[in-house]
Amino acid sequence: EPEVTQTPSHQVTQMGQEVILRCVPISNHLYFYWYRQILGQKVEFLVSFYNNEISEKSEIFDDQFSVERPDGSNFTLKIRSTKLEDSAMYFCASSDFRAYGYTFGSGTRLTVV
Amino acid sequence: SQQGEEDPQALSIQEGENATMNCSYKTSINNLQWYRQNSGRGLVHLILIRSNEREKHSGRLRVTLDTSKKSSSLLITASRAADTASYFCATDALEGAQKLVFGQGTRLTINP
């Protein structure tokens, strides 16, 4: 069964450093997403991406965040200057159409120290 | 906010019993989806029910949707220890960009 692949599975970074989280969505999917889940809390929407541009972003997705689909297969989330409160599990997801479910990756646990 | 409450927040039952989790939401939806998350792991899509559907089955899972009450339920029959996980409902709003809004989830524990 096709999977969404995320790397790395765990990243530890110093506060103020830039991080790039990587995702390989399912190849024929058209919609791509990033979500995050702070430990013990609910899953929160960050950003959706369609047709090579952001279609919606949440209040969390401020100027420190950016997304890119650099080569037609990878989908990346960059945090420019990490803060302690950015520590969370970050999930990438993709879907092919609104009528169907999303496929989520297994997540990247980001720890900012 | 698009998403309402899930209840219960935690549920502990004996293996073999049925587990029912409920979800409420606030806006008109295109579909509602249920996901499972094992501790510290990824989200696994369980079932999607469209706004024009009232009930859907998948194996031991049964989902109902009442759009007049803006609520859904997930029933797991004949529970197993492996069903221990957190279960989340997520809604895709009828209007606006495609995205899911998740509830707080129900932590289900199946005791052997």
Side-chain angles (χ1 to χ4, degrees):
Chain A
E1 182 151 348
E3 290 184 340
V4 173
T5 306
Q6 287 188 246
T7 55
S9 57
H10 191 187
Q11 178 148 2
V12 181
T13 188
Q14 296 270 351
M15 191 169 56
Q17 294 295 306
E18 174 184 286
V19 295
I20 297 176
L21 309 183
R22 301 180 193 281
C23 169
V24 179
I26 293 174
S27 60
N28 61 344
H29 283 186
L30 303 175
Y31 298 86
F32 313 110
Y33 313 86
W34 284 99
Y35 288 79
R36 80 169 186 193
Q37 185 181 34
I38 295 170
L39 186 64
Q41 298 187 24
K42 67 178 180 179
V43 178
E44 300 174 291
F45 169 76
L46 291 178
V47 65
S48 59
F49 193 86
Y50 170 71
N51 201 25
N52 286 319
E53 61 182 24
I54 290 174
S55 46
E56 186 159 345
K57 58 184 180 180
S58 71
E59 293 172 354
I60 302 167
F61 194 88
D62 62 20
D63 293 345
Q64 293 300 311
F65 290 87
S66 62
V67 289
E68 201 175 35
R69 190 158 159 79
D71 56 12
S73 62
N74 291 286
F75 180 51
T76 62
L77 174 69
K78 183 193 292 187
I79 308 175
R80 251 179 283 282
S81 177
T82 50
K83 309 183 190 80
L84 293 175
E85 54 265 36
D86 293 328
S87 294
M89 182 78 97
Y90 287 80
F91 293 106
C92 173
S94 67
S95 67
D96 57 358
F97 188 65
R98 191 161 205 156
Y100 302 113
Y102 292 31
T103 302
F104 280 82
S106 53
T108 293
R109 182 169 297 283
L110 177 66
T111 303
V112 182
V113 296
Chain B
S1 164
Q2 177 177 324
Q3 190 59 34
E5 301 289 327
E6 288 183 58
D7 77 270
Q9 290 187 355
L11 178 61
S12 181
I13 60 174
Q14 293 300 119
E15 196 166 20
E17 295 180 339
N18 296 341
T20 300
M21 289 158 272
N22 302 295
C23 164
S24 64
Y25 57 92
K26 295 180 179 176
T27 63
S28 296
I29 60 170
N30 185 51
N31 63 66
L32 184 146
Q33 304 175 32
W34 285 90
Y35 288 82
R36 184 184 74 217
Q37 184 181 37
N38 289 76
S39 183
R41 307 293 295 275
L43 294 156
V44 176
H45 178 255
L46 295 176
I47 199 163
L48 179 152
I49 186 164
R50 295 182 177 80
S51 59
N52 62 350
E53 296 175 314
R54 293 297 164 256
E55 188 171 310
K56 207 158 181 182
H57 297 255
S58 176
R60 294 183 295 112
L61 305 181
R62 173 178 167 250
V63 168
T64 62
L65 179 66
D66 186 336
T67 51
S68 66
K69 294 181 180 176
K70 291 188 168 55
S71 67
S72 174
S73 68
L74 171 67
L75 168 67
I76 303 174
T77 60
S79 63
R80 304 167 183 167
D83 294 329
T84 294
S86 291
Y87 291 81
F88 296 89
C89 71
T91 52
D92 177 12
L94 189 60
E95 294 178 2
Q98 181 175 354
K99 68 177 184 186
L100 291 180
V101 176
F102 284 79
Q104 293 281 3
T106 294
R107 174 72 191 160
L108 175 65
T109 302
I110 309 298
N111 302 304

